[in-house]
């Protein structure tokens, strides 16, 4: 089946990442396990995204990778968490922060905005709003500096 082929392809991707040092063996096994869980759900006919608990585990792995400044690995975990639970505001907040660290500012702003849209009263949304305000303030400061430079000040 297409899902089984996707699982095999993902196993290959994880193996390659381990060989290249881009992923730990533990994270590769966790990723393959998650892929296998998705395959089981498809086989049972329950193709809906997984539960929030697994998404929370992925966010925790992403947070650890983020704190280790391994932003590419963190991004993968946060994206995987959103596959499992597309309404997980905290995953969007962390993904936005990851994109910010990768200098992908527009994508960061989009993720923070999405976190706010999904759960505007959550701590995740409050953090996302704070980060958006900070980016907007920096943008205004840069524009002001450029304008002063143009005027020769």
């Amino acid at each position: 089946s297409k899902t089984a082929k996707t699982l095999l392809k993902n196993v290959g991707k994880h193996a390659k990442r381990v060989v290249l040092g881009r992923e730990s063996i533990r994270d590769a096994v966790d990723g393959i396990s998650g892929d296998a869980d998705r395959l089981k759900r498809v086989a049972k006919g329950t193709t809906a995204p997984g539960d929030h608990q697994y998404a929370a585990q992925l966010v925790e792995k992403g947070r650890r990778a983020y704190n280790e400044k391994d932003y590419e690995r963190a991004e993968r975990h946060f994206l995987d968490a959103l596959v499992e639970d597309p309404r997980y505001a905290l995953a969007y907040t962390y993904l936005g922060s990851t994109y910010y660290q990768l200098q992908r500012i527009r994508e960061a702003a989009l993720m923070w905005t999405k976190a706010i849209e999904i759960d505007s009263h959550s701590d995740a949304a409050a953090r996302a709003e704070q980060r958006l305000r900070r980016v907007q303030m920096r943008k205004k400061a840069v524009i002001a500096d450029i304008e002063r430079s143009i005027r020769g000040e």
Side-chain angles (χ1 to χ4, degrees):
S1 79
K2 181 180 177 185
T3 305
K5 287 179 187 175
T6 301
L7 175 63
L8 288 175
K9 184 175 153 185
N10 287 346
V11 167
K13 283 182 183 178
H14 287 291
K16 182 179 178 181
R17 289 177 189 153
V18 168
V19 169
L20 295 173
R22 293 183 183 160
E23 185 172 55
S24 71
I25 292 172
R26 186 177 86 177
D27 285 340
V29 169
D30 288 344
I32 292 167
S33 175
D35 293 340
D37 289 344
R38 284 190 283 282
L39 179 61
K40 285 182 211 169
R41 284 196 303 274
V42 169
K44 290 179 183 176
T46 56
T47 57
D51 65 326
H52 179 77
Q53 184 177 359
Y54 183 56
Q57 291 171 2
L58 290 166
V59 165
E60 179 57 26
K61 289 177 187 179
R63 194 185 61 73
R64 283 196 307 265
Y66 179 92
N67 288 338
E68 294 168 6
K69 299 188 183 341
D70 187 348
Y71 302 119
E72 287 80 13
R73 195 174 93 222
E75 176 188 16
R76 282 194 308 274
H77 287 306
F78 297 138
L79 288 170
D80 288 346
L82 290 168
V83 167
E84 292 299 316
D85 184 354
R87 308 254 335 131
Y88 195 7
L90 186 60
Y92 283 105
T93 299
Y94 280 129
L95 183 58
S97 296
T98 301
Y99 285 153
Y100 184 82
Q101 292 299 326
L102 292 169
Q103 302 300 309
R104 294 161 59 183
I105 308 304
R106 285 182 188 210
E107 290 170 277
L110 287 171
M111 294 304 106
W112 292 329
T113 300
K114 184 75 172 170
I116 295 164
E117 289 172 4
I118 286 174
D119 193 358
S120 62
H121 300 293
S122 68
D123 289 342
R127 275 189 244 153
E129 286 174 343
Q130 182 182 43
R131 289 183 173 103
L132 270 174
R133 276 194 302 275
R134 192 177 317 140
V135 167
Q136 289 166 346
M137 286 173 40
R138 286 183 182 153
K139 182 179 174 182
K140 286 179 184 178
V142 168
I143 290 170
D145 287 347
I146 291 170
E147 287 173 345
R148 279 193 295 280
S149 177
I150 289 170
R151 289 192 304 265
E153 295 176 9

